[in-house]
Amino acid sequence: MDTLSLQNKYNLKELELNALLEITQSINNNLPEASLYKIYEFTLRGNLNIKRLALFVMDQTWSCKVSFGTSTNCFEQKLPEDFLVTKVLTQIDDRDDVFGEFDYLIPIYHKASLLSVVFVGGINAEDEESKKSSTRFIQALTNIIIVAIENKKLARQQLEQEALRKELEIASDVQQFLFPDSLPYGLRLKIEASYLPHDRVGGDYYDYVPINQNQFLICIADVSGKGIPAALMMSNFQASLRTLIRQTPNLVEIVNELNYQVLENAKGEKFITFFAGIYDHKLKTLVYINSGHNPPLLITKDDIIELEEGSTVLGAIHPLPFVNEGFITDLDEFLLFCYTDGLTETANEENEEFGPERLIEYFKENRHQDLKKIHQDIIINLDGFKGDNGYHDDITILSCKVDL
């Protein structure tokens, strides 16, 4: 081998070492992915004088990250499936597409996973041995870059997952604050609630608000959608309701204002089903409005009534097209059973829903049971009914019992 050839080989090795050093420093400096791809391109194109190259990377889908030297822009090309089964460096022959302009295909694996595919053409080398050495270097350099970028992706995913975990914790705490700390369970008034969340953060809400020594409000609601947005929306809904009930006991005014606020906050993308009732111990009356919610059951000594009077759902349209107030008198002993649709829409293995009829049949025989026993019975019956099917929604049950 002559002196010139030796000098050329020496110069090439020096360029390769400098390229590795530059790439390593860039990775250590925590440069963004786009910058690493640019340095990779400059190194191969400028320092090592590679004529044609295309780097395809698996990033949810296969996409071209670096491309130069070809007649057609490889950024717009779809990676052919036959290249994805290649395990080793392969020479490319007899293709009439843009990939036929390359000499070699270099697959980049990490363990058993194919991370990227490099297409190389026009390697500046004096002999076949030098060309193979250059392809091995390109493979090593690409491996370093791709693994570094994969580590960046992994770190980013971990940060995103941690951020989501914290957001879910906050939203879960927010939802827990929606529920009353304690509910009355005395001689004249008993209130019991059960909440079975489907996800970590749901969109159900219930409340008990004493108004004065004679009156109290009881309510239940369900927001469309789940997760953090639903919890935050319901938190705002609760704050609005509690502010309004201090200002007026007029349910029509309250519901109209709540509807306006839900529509303003959600911009029509979410809505809330809502039931609220105000009972007066002295007058023995129940005033209620049902805004598109599953009708609660009012169980008296003589009858079981579904409370349906009210309006459409809140947050869909303003002003509400109608608001009807239900009014029941001479009500001194009763049981009010409220629930969200997760209860009645739970399906069994034959895709049959639990439905409100089973609740009505249960209360025909069990209206005098203790509230805690009623909740326990219904949950056990529901669990047996669904069989091996899972629950697909939050389930909230709220019961109120008034005795003389």
Side-chain angles (χ1 to χ4, degrees):
M1 185 177 295
D2 57 32
T3 304
L4 183 59
S5 296
L6 288 173
Q7 184 63 41
N8 288 340
K9 287 181 180 294
Y10 174 79
N11 290 340
L12 181 60
K13 290 299 179 186
E14 187 175 16
L15 285 171
E16 290 177 350
L17 286 173
N18 289 335
L20 284 174
L21 179 61
E22 185 177 1
I23 291 290
T24 303
Q25 287 175 338
S26 301
I27 292 169
N28 290 338
N29 289 334
N30 200 29
L31 292 180
E33 294 168 26
S35 297
L36 292 178
Y37 285 130
K38 286 180 180 178
I39 292 169
Y40 173 81
E41 177 181 351
F42 175 78
T43 299
L44 295 178
R45 189 175 188 175
N47 293 354
L48 301 181
N49 201 24
I50 303 298
K51 302 297 183 185
R52 294 181 296 280
L53 183 136
L55 172 66
F56 284 80
V57 178
M58 168 51 75
D59 189 8
Q60 295 183 332
T61 59
W62 284 99
S63 60
C64 184
K65 302 295 185 181
V66 178
S67 175
F68 59 83
T70 55
S71 59
T72 305
N73 189 348
C74 287
F75 290 110
E76 300 173 357
Q77 297 297 312
K78 184 177 180 181
L79 185 62
E81 293 287 335
D82 55 311
F83 289 136
L84 299 179
V85 296
T86 306
K87 300 291 185 182
V88 295
L89 186 148
T90 304
Q91 189 167 345
I92 300 175
D93 297 311
D94 300 326
R95 292 188 69 97
D96 56 5
D97 57 11
V98 65
F99 298 99
E101 298 181 33
F102 298 106
D103 300 322
Y104 297 101
L105 178 155
I106 306 172
I108 305 299
Y109 280 86
H110 180 65
K111 297 181 180 178
S113 299
L114 181 64
L115 301 182
S116 67
V117 177
V118 190
F119 297 91
V120 185
I123 297 175
N124 185 22
E126 294 181 344
D127 50 45
E128 195 63 31
E129 182 183 344
S130 298
K131 188 176 288 188
K132 288 181 179 179
S133 176
S134 293
T135 56
R136 286 195 296 269
F137 174 76
I138 293 169
Q139 186 173 21
L141 190 68
T142 308
N143 201 302
I144 291 169
I145 283 283
I146 295 300
V147 169
I149 289 174
E150 284 296 311
N151 287 337
K152 280 178 172 291
K153 291 178 187 176
L154 181 60
R156 187 166 61 245
Q157 289 170 359
Q158 290 173 339
L159 287 173
E160 289 171 353
Q161 289 171 357
E162 178 63 17
L164 178 60
R165 186 188 65 80
K166 289 181 178 178
E167 286 181 5
L168 287 172
E169 280 184 3
I170 293 169
S172 182
D173 290 342
V174 166
Q175 188 179 33
Q176 290 304 315
F177 286 134
L178 295 179
F179 302 139
D181 291 333
S182 61
L183 296 170
Y185 212 84
L187 293 175
R188 294 186 64 198
L189 174 63
K190 296 180 177 66
I191 297 179
E192 179 71 13
S194 300
Y195 174 58
L196 287 71
H198 173 250
D199 293 316
R200 185 170 181 177
V201 181
D204 288 3
Y205 159 61
Y206 65 86
D207 214 342
Y208 159 78
V209 183
I211 299 173
N212 53 48
Q213 62 179 5
N214 293 319
Q215 294 177 311
F216 67 87
L217 175 139
I218 189 168
C219 70
I220 190 167
D222 187 4
V223 62
S224 61
K226 306 299 174 191
I228 296 168
L232 295 177
M233 184 175 174
M234 202 56 97
S235 175
N236 184 66
F237 184 83
Q238 183 222 40
S240 299
L241 172 62
R242 287 188 166 233
T243 299
L244 290 167
I245 196 65
R246 286 197 299 268
Q247 296 172 353
T248 176
N250 188 312
L251 279 180
V252 174
E253 293 180 11
I254 289 172
V255 165
N256 275 312
E257 182 60 27
L258 287 173
N259 176 66
Y260 174 77
Q261 292 192 21
V262 172
L263 187 59
E264 282 292 298
N265 292 332
K267 307 303 180 186
E269 294 182 1
K270 291 185 180 296
F271 61 85
I272 290 177
T273 67
F274 176 60
F275 171 88
I278 295 177
Y279 181 71
D280 190 311
H281 285 284
K282 186 175 181 179
L283 299 178
K284 300 180 182 178
T285 57
L286 175 68
V287 181
Y288 75 88
I289 291 178
N290 185 339
S291 299
H293 198 80
N294 299 82
L297 301 179
L298 179 65
I299 300 116
T300 65
K301 291 175 286 187
D302 306 313
D303 204 358
I304 298 177
I305 306 167
E306 293 185 274
L307 303 184
E308 299 177 313
E309 287 291 331
S311 72
T312 187
V313 297
L314 305 184
I317 186 173
H318 180 79
L320 288 167
F322 62 91
V323 182
N324 298 320
E325 195 174 54
F327 189 70
I328 300 173
T329 59
D330 299 323
L331 195 61
D332 51 12
E333 291 185 67
F334 67 90
L335 166 62
L336 178 64
F337 182 82
C338 309
Y339 58 93
T340 55
D341 57 10
L343 175 63
T344 51
E345 291 180 5
T346 295
N348 61 15
E349 295 171 20
E350 285 73 42
N351 207 31
E352 176 191 7
E353 292 186 350
F354 189 76
E357 295 79 11
R358 287 181 173 80
L359 294 174
I360 294 171
E361 288 301 315
Y362 172 83
F363 282 112
K364 285 179 181 179
E365 303 295 331
N366 297 278
R367 68 183 69 199
H368 300 297
Q369 290 279 8
D370 179 76
L371 292 188
K372 296 181 186 297
K373 179 68 164 57
I374 287 173
H375 283 221
Q376 184 183 51
D377 285 350
I378 289 173
I379 292 170
I380 290 173
N381 290 342
L382 184 69
D383 196 60
F385 170 81
K386 74 176 183 62
D388 290 334
N389 269 12
Y391 291 106
H392 300 291
D393 198 358
D394 304 332
I395 296 173
T396 299
I397 302 173
L398 178 67
S399 299
C400 170
K401 194 170 189 178
V402 172
D403 291 314
L404 288 174

